[in-house]
């Protein structure tokens, strides 16, 4: 199965992968980041977020890592990091979206002239 | 405000218990922490923001619950046959009966290896053998953890525990003994390793594996039977004990293969039971001849021995049955 078979990504999944691309993050950090990245258009509930994380873990797009310095009542909170496959999927989706935007802009320029 | 937040947090904690067990075990602690953090942040922006957050969570939760339960149901339907109903592959069967094969090899070596006992090569072979057992043991422990306690691994778990217990009985050389507190040190080392590597969840997987098929514990006990037979026939002359030990081991091997290749719990239990009882009955012949001069001097004693062994083999099933009954009674009681 090629990476293209997983595309297009749903908006929440795309934003979650995008949020994890610079560094591993724990659940609440992802939640806040997705909200900020989407200008508050995509607001994930806790259930939706962890449901998506579960599927991405099972598919091998992300892995669970201990979150350094994130302690919650003495318990180390789990963080999630992109795998090589997850990063490949994100990059391919970004390329696909970039291509879409370029084509749309070109088409608009042509229709204006 | 704090009381209100605490109540909502408790309400959420109660609601997320409704997720399927596997999802709950993996994510619910983090979900609760994420919910609490988000609620705290929303509360800083005022009660309307907090109320909007809680409302969104409560609206999304039933959909998320339904989604996860449907996923869990599909996973069970797909995995059910694999988990319980499939027979082991020949490779898995071979790994499972390997301890019995090693024992068989030991008996044959003991009987026919007399002529090479004087050779220095034998000593080297023994050391290489011990090193191989250790290396193989470490490899199997890693495989056991990685494959989440497959059925074949139970043949080794009992040996592993037995070796830890009887370790002080061995000696490194004439002057070097293994200290009697070594088992305790090993247990502390294992517990420390489990804590450092955060492997406590593996114990839950072990319990889960036993709950799915109790005969695995019976198989674990069954794998120790060659050791029991060895203890019983230890003082008996080799001319008497060798052929019977050999045949009883072959019976145990056939029982082990039948167990691994069976699909149903009752056929698995039956395979172990028949082979174990037949093996014990056979072994008791040279023991009786040695002590009393005849094959069977006391039928009652034999029936008691066989009965005890049957009880031990079936004990995990009895415990599983009692646990199931207790769990059924709990909701109404």
């Amino acid at each position: 199965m090629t990476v293209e078979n997983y595309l297009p990504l749903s908006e929440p999944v795309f934003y979650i992968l995008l949020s994890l691309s610079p560094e591993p993050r724990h659940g609440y950090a992802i939640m806040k980041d997705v909200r900020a990245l989407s200008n508050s258009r995509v607001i994930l509930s806790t259930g939706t977020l962890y449901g998506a994380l579960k599927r991405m873990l099972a598919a091998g797009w992300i892995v669970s890592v201990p979150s350094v310095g994130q302690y919650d009542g003495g318990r180390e909170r789990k963080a999630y990091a992109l795998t090589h496959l997850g990063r490949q999927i994100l990059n391919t989706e970004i390329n696909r979206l970039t291509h879409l935007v370029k084509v749309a802009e070109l088409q608009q320029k042509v229709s204006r002239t | 405000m704090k009381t209100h937040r605490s109540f909502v947090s408790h309400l959420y904690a109660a609601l997320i218990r409704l997720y399927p067990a596997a999802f709950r075990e993996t994510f619910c602690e983090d979900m609760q922490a994420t919910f609490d953090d988000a609620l705290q942040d929303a509360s800083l922006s005022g009660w309307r923001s907090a109320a909007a957050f809680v409302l969104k969570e409560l609206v999304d939760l039933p959909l998320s619950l339904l989604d996860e339960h449907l996923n869990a149901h599909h996973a069970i339907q797909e995995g059910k046959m694999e988990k319980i109903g499939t027979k082991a592959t020949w490779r898995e069967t071979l790994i499972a009966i390997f301890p019995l094969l090693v024992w068989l090899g030991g008996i044959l070596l003991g009987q026919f290896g007399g002529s090479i006992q004087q050779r220095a090569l034998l000593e080297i072979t023994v050391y290489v053998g011990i090193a191989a057992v250790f290396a193989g043991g470490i490899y199997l422990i890693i495989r056991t953890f990685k494959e989440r306690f497959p059925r074949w691994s139970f043949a080794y778990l009992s040996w592993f525990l037995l070796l830890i217990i009887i370790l002080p009985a061995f000696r490194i050389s004439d002057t070097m003994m293994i200290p009697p507190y070594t088992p305790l040190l090993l247990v502390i080392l294992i517990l420390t390793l489990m804590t450092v590597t955060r492997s406590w969840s593996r114990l839950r997987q072990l319990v889960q594996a036993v709950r799915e098929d109790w005969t695995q514990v019976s198989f674990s006990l069954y794998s120790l039977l060659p050791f029991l037979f060895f203890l019983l026939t230890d003082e008996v002359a080799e001319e008497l004990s060798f052929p019977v030990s050999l045949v009883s081991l072959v019976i145990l091997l056939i029982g082990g293969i039948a167990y691994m290749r069976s699909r149903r719990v009752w056929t698995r239990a039956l395979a172990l039971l028949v082979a174990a009882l037949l093996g014990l009955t056979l072994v008791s012949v040279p023991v009786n001849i040695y002590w009393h001069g005849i094959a069977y001097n006391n039928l009652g004693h034999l029936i008691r021995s066989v009965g005890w062994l049957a009880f031990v083999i079936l004990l995990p099933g009895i415990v599983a049955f009692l646990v199931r009954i207790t769990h059924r009674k709990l909701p109404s009681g």
Side-chain angles (χ1 to χ4, degrees), chain A residues 26-29 31-32 43-55 57 66 72 75-80, chain B residues 12 19 23 25-27 29-35 37-38 41-42 53 56-57 60-61 64 67-68 71-72 198:
Chain A
H26 61 78
Y28 184 49
M31 218 181 202
K32 283 198 293 186
I43 301 171
L44 297 171
S45 72
T46 316
T48 309
L49 170 68
Y50 280 91
L53 289 176
K54 189 197 98 174
R55 279 183 281 280
L57 278 168
D72 177 42
R75 189 180 59 85
E76 203 165 289
R77 195 183 283 187
K78 261 185 256 147
Y80 301 92
Chain B
Y12 189 75
Y19 275 104
F23 185 91
E25 279 174 19
T26 317
F27 296 109
E29 275 186 41
D30 279 339
M31 282 179 81
Q32 182 70 52
T34 301
F35 178 86
D37 285 349
D41 275 7
F53 166 74
K56 181 171 169 50
E57 287 288 332
D60 279 359
L61 194 63
S64 172
D67 196 25
E68 291 309 326
N71 282 335
R198 297 186 196 90

Side-chain angles (χ1 to χ4, degrees), chain A residues 75-92:
Chain A
R75 189 180 59 85
E76 203 165 289
R77 195 183 283 187
K78 261 185 256 147
Y80 301 92
L82 278 189
T83 60
H84 179 65
L85 175 66
R87 197 169 290 282
Q88 264 189 318
I89 289 167
L90 176 66
N91 290 338
T92 316

Side-chain angles (χ1 to χ4, degrees), chain B residues 178-189:
Chain B
I178 293 175
Y181 49 80
T182 309
L184 185 67
L185 283 180
L186 274 172
V187 170
I188 291 169
L189 178 72

